[in-house]
Amino acid sequence: MKNFNVPEFYRSPLIHKVRQFQKERDPKRKDTLPALLRLDDLEFILPRHFGFCYGVENAIDIAFSAVEENKGKRVFLLSQMIHNPGVNQDLQNHGVRFLQDTDGKPLFNLDELVSEDVVIIPAFGAPVQTLEKLKNKGVDILKYNTTCPFVERVWKKAEQIGKSDCTIVVHGKYSHEETRSTFSRVVQYAPAAIIVLNMEEAQRLEPYIMLQKSQEEFESEFKGKFSKGFDIHRHFQKLGVVNQTTMLASETQEIADYFRRLMIKKFGESEILSHFSDTRDTLCYATHENQEATLQLLNVQADMAIVAGGYNSSNTTHLAELLEKKFPVYFVADSQSIHNDYIECFDLGKQGIIQKPWNSRSVKRIIITGGASCPDALLDRIIHKIWQIRGNPTMPEPFIGLA
Ligand code: SF4
């Protein structure tokens, strides 16, 4: 895989040792066995795959080059470059300003941009209308475009099935930058499109697909999630599913299977090829690998799990969801969240930050992982913080092996 120029402060000598151990043991990345990092009586378990992905390293490399190459010019990021508050803050500290917040609300008047300004397009891509606006201001939108190739792959897939007269269902979070970018393209090729968040939302479409409920009810229930002119009589004839690259793999599969069954119910088994386009999920390799490696962690014993990353990071959230099946999970943004007797963390159920108690003295085995936008240096800081909180002196030479 390509090597990127990622600033040294995102790296970690400690985590590098774990990566090196796994690389030497399994050079072809054939298994998902987790690693053990032991510091005296304290053990950390790290999944086979975690942390920065291809798209994030590519984006960081391009963004820091943009800063370096344009001293004296105004450098903007269209929105958060990736969903990691630390990385976004680092770029701001280097003078980069945001044009929009993560929901697409303007933070800077686009009309004030001039052609000399530098605009970095984030890894999630950008809606076509936004790119058009930037182009009209004379901004070069190609020079510092960090759109991940795996996101572009989804756009190509959507174009392909959309052109075969398929209404496209996008499995994603409708306010997520990537889903908004994908949706803006999908509607250019497909007769119609709709975004569904999860299986529950997919199931609520059934009475409209089966024409048991009215167009008016559809428009009210799915307001803001379907393309202009969506007609339940015309646009539920042939369906295809693509997803945001960072959704839960099993859920996308369930949703696609569900729509397939519905189309069989509506048109009959023998007609299915004309009414459903069978796409496999469009998750990226990193989401797939990280989720597989996290599922493997459900086979180990541990007292708790720490998941590090931005609270609005979709791929990180799904890692926390998977680990919650077995362990008490602490979803943290930084090492500063960790205190002697509680950890400030994001609660997925409450969708808010809570102070969750923990007993730093009695904990012996901790799973630790980070999403695709989490630098190794953050996991390193968390490990050091826990080591220090337990009243330990300088860190010993770690033992690294398989968990
Ligand atoms: S998570 Fe996947 S799609 Fe997103 S930036 Fe990383 S490699 Fe690209």
Side-chain angles (χ1 to χ4, degrees):
M1 200 177 272
K2 197 172 160 189
N3 279 330
F4 295 104
N5 191 9
V6 172
E8 214 37 51
F9 51 82
Y10 291 135
R11 308 276 187 208
S12 150
L14 181 65
I15 303 298
H16 178 72
K17 282 184 188 162
V18 176
R19 291 196 183 280
Q20 207 50 34
F21 164 78
Q22 289 282 38
K23 197 172 164 189
E24 282 165 19
R25 186 192 64 75
D26 175 29
K28 296 203 168 146
R29 301 160 78 92
K30 282 193 171 154
D31 68 45
T32 50
L33 297 176
L36 172 74
L37 187 157
R38 185 185 298 132
L39 304 162
D40 289 347
D41 64 339
L42 179 62
E43 294 182 334
F44 289 93
I45 297 165
L46 293 97
R48 177 71 180 92
H49 304 293
F50 59 92
F52 276 0
C53 59
Y54 177 99
V56 165
E57 292 209 344
N58 176 47
I60 289 176
D61 187 350
I62 295 173
F64 279 95
S65 303
V67 172
E68 204 48 43
E69 291 164 9
N70 293 285
K71 294 214 163 90
K73 284 191 183 180
R74 300 195 298 182
V75 180
F76 296 94
L77 250 167
L78 186 54
S79 64
Q80 291 191 4
M81 191 179 63
I82 55 172
H83 285 155
N84 182 291
V87 175
N88 290 316
Q89 189 57 54
D90 288 338
L91 285 164
Q92 283 177 297
N93 294 346
H94 280 77
V96 176
R97 288 192 271 168
F98 286 179
L99 291 177
Q100 299 174 342
D101 72 6
T102 192
D103 296 322
K105 289 199 199 83
L107 298 172
F108 184 91
N109 186 354
L110 291 193
D111 288 335
E112 289 176 21
L113 287 177
V114 293
S115 56
E116 288 74 33
D117 288 329
V118 174
V119 178
I120 305 166
I121 308 298
F124 320 108
V128 281
Q129 299 82 350
T130 311
L131 293 178
E132 206 51 43
K133 263 190 216 161
L134 294 174
K135 257 190 353 204
N136 290 341
K137 296 303 297 177
V139 172
D140 185 346
I141 55 167
L142 297 177
K143 191 159 183 196
Y144 298 110
N145 177 8
T146 80
T147 308
C148 179
F150 294 97
V151 173
E152 287 172 336
R153 200 183 59 167
V154 180
W155 299 344
K156 283 202 191 94
K157 187 85 210 168
E159 178 178 347
Q160 190 192 331
I161 59 173
K163 282 181 174 167
S164 74
D165 222 22
C166 236
T167 289
I168 296 183
V169 180
V170 182
H171 174 214
K173 299 178 178 172
Y174 70 89
S175 61
H176 192 286
E177 293 95 325
E178 183 192 318
T179 294
R180 283 191 276 119
S181 301
T182 299
F183 191 75
S184 76
R185 284 164 177 84
V186 160
V187 295
Q188 293 184 318
Y189 311 113
I194 185 159
I195 300 170
V196 297
L197 175 65
N198 51 27
M199 189 61 183
E200 188 269 326
E201 208 165 77
Q203 284 169 334
R204 285 202 279 115
L205 278 176
E206 177 164 354
Y208 301 108
I209 292 175
M210 304 311 285
L211 302 176
Q212 292 151 345
K213 281 175 128 182
S214 69
Q215 174 78 21
E216 290 70 31
E217 287 170 290
F218 168 75
E219 288 177 11
S220 146
E221 192 171 342
F222 286 89
K223 193 170 176 218
K225 295 178 183 173
F226 56 85
S227 55
K228 202 166 162 221
F230 198 116
D231 178 341
I232 61 169
H233 297 89
R234 285 193 298 128
H235 294 136
F236 284 133
Q237 296 293 317
K238 186 177 182 189
L239 297 181
V241 180
V242 297
N243 55 6
Q244 190 182 309
T245 52
T246 48
M247 298 306 275
L248 205 55
S250 54
E251 192 171 51
T252 300
Q253 195 53 57
E254 270 176 49
I255 288 173
D257 290 347
Y258 174 71
F259 283 123
R260 190 173 190 280
R261 283 199 304 277
L262 268 186
M263 298 316 267
I264 289 175
K265 193 169 158 188
K266 187 168 175 174
F267 298 103
E269 179 90 53
S270 58
E271 295 297 311
I272 190 62
L273 290 180
S274 314
H275 296 280
F276 188 78
S277 182
D278 223 346
T279 49
R280 286 174 61 81
D281 70 55
T282 47
L283 295 178
C284 72
Y285 87 95
T287 301
H288 183 75
E289 277 189 351
N290 287 357
Q291 288 181 9
E292 288 296 309
T294 305
L295 286 169
Q296 177 85 34
L297 292 175
L298 299 181
N299 299 323
V300 303
Q301 295 304 321
D303 301 312
M304 59 187 275
I306 292 181
V307 179
Y311 300 148
N312 58 346
S313 160
S314 173
N315 77 85
T316 315
T317 303
H318 293 313
L319 301 185
E321 269 171 23
L322 292 174
L323 287 167
E324 270 189 346
K325 290 180 198 286
K326 181 164 174 186
F327 308 102
V329 171
Y330 297 78
F331 181 1
V332 302
D334 207 318
S335 58
Q336 288 149 357
S337 313
I338 299 174
H339 303 268
N340 268 329
D341 48 2
Y342 72 91
I343 296 179
E344 201 169 271
C345 55
F346 190 77
D347 185 288
L348 293 175
K350 296 191 176 99
Q351 284 293 296
I353 297 168
I354 58 165
Q355 292 185 348
K356 195 162 165 179
W358 78 307
N359 189 335
S360 56
R361 293 268 165 196
S362 68
V363 162
K364 294 269 183 258
R365 260 191 147 209
I366 303 173
I367 285 172
I368 182 163
T369 188
S373 48
C374 172
D376 283 357
L378 175 51
L379 298 186
D380 184 314
R381 286 198 296 274
I382 292 171
I383 291 172
H384 274 84
K385 182 80 183 276
I386 293 174
W387 179 253
Q388 281 156 13
I389 275 183
R390 288 162 55 98
N392 291 312
T394 38
M395 203 180 258
E397 192 54 36
F399 164 83
I400 294 168
L402 280 179

